Amino acid sequence: SLSQPLPDGLRTPPDDVPLGPWDFGLALLVDSTAYPPDLKAIHRVIPGLPLEEAVARAKGAWRVQDYPDLALGLAALERAQEPAFLLAGEGGAHLLTDPDPMQLARAMPADHSDRWNSLNTSVLSEFVLPVVWGMRDDEHAVRIVHHDTAAAVRRARRTGGTAVILKPLAVEDVLAVAAGGERVPRKSTSFGPKPRTGLVLRTFAID
């Protein structure tokens, strides 16, 4: 861990007031050579959007390939070129690929870089959800499931909705977007390695 003062703009005590423990934060530093970042996907569930309806709407903007079960759909998603999404729930699995370039270009924000606009989570939040399905990408309309594709599909079935299965972002894409001063869309990355589960206590006593 490493202690470091907070940025000046967050809290600037008068010169004659000594710094206290509350003026510092903790950061975990990991040797990325020994432990390279491991990115996992964060899937979405859209409660109340039946899979049949989600697929029907997507056909106006995407190439849709149907698969009888989840395993075949996941294998196809793994081979597909991005952007690509697997829709699943009651009624098999459906792979979305090859979006209409004109519709996609109109949907993606001009004030973001091409790299940002190419991320699957960017395409989902800016094009699929608001344009294709007519909904906002927020915690009320979209549920999040980390890593577990089967859990996402079960939740979609329980809620009469659609699971959107994504491939994880590439580490180099995330680093390039960050280096350009941008943030990836919400719930884009689940990083590892993570610190051990535990509890850290810090006293605020000055002496």
Side-chain angles (χ1 to χ4, degrees), residues 69-80:
D69 60 51
L70 182 62
L72 290 175
L74 290 173
L77 176 64
E78 184 64 28
R79 297 189 302 268

Side-chain angles (χ1 to χ4, degrees), residues 171-192:
V171 173
E172 55 267 26
D173 285 337
V174 175
L175 296 179
V177 168
E182 297 176 297
R183 294 183 179 182
V184 296
R186 78 178 192 98
K187 301 299 181 183
S188 289
T189 58
S190 180
F191 271 102

Side-chain angles (χ1 to χ4, degrees), residues 144-162:
I144 300 299
V145 178
H146 289 253
H147 316 163
D148 193 335
T149 56
V153 174
R154 287 195 300 270
R155 187 167 186 177
R157 288 172 176 166
R158 287 197 309 269
T159 59
T162 296

Side-chain angles (χ1 to χ4, degrees), residues 194-207:
K194 297 184 184 297
R196 290 179 179 270
T197 300
L199 180 66
V200 175
L201 299 178
R202 180 174 62 168
T203 178
F204 280 168
I206 296 179
D207 47 29

Side-chain angles (χ1 to χ4, degrees), residues 3-4 6 8 16 25 32 40 43 51 79 81 83 86 97 114 118 129-130 134 139-140 144 151 182 194 196-198:
S3 294
Q4 177 177 319
L6 293 173
D8 292 341
D16 57 346
S32 60
K40 297 187 182 301
H43 309 302
L51 179 61
R79 297 189 302 268
Q81 183 176 349
L86 187 69
T97 59
D114 291 343
S118 70
L129 288 168
E139 63 275 9
H140 301 294
I144 300 299
E182 297 176 297
K194 297 184 184 297
R196 290 179 179 270
T197 300

Side-chain angles (χ1 to χ4, degrees), residues 101-140:
M102 294 184 65
Q103 294 187 53
L104 181 62
R106 284 197 301 266
M108 302 311 293
D111 58 347
H112 279 290
S113 67
D114 291 343
R115 195 84 175 239
W116 191 96
N117 282 332
S118 70
L119 301 177
N120 60 12
T121 49
S122 301
V123 173
L124 181 64
S125 65
E126 300 291 333
F127 181 41
V128 178
L129 288 168
V131 177
V132 176
W133 292 336
M135 62 181 56
R136 295 173 60 107
D137 182 13
D138 59 31
E139 63 275 9
H140 301 294

Side-chain angles (χ1 to χ4, degrees), residues 29-86:
L29 301 182
V30 177
D31 184 347
S32 60
T33 302
Y35 303 99
D38 177 27
L39 278 182
K40 297 187 182 301
I42 302 179
H43 309 302
R44 273 65 167 170
V45 174
I46 318 298
L49 176 63
L51 179 61
E52 183 179 356
E53 181 180 346
V55 172
R57 293 190 189 180
K59 287 181 177 178
W62 293 79
R63 179 189 178 199
V64 179
Q65 301 171 70
D66 305 325
Y67 295 89
D69 60 51
L70 182 62
L72 290 175
L74 290 173
L77 176 64
E78 184 64 28
R79 297 189 302 268
Q81 183 176 349
E82 294 280 26
F85 307 97
L86 187 69

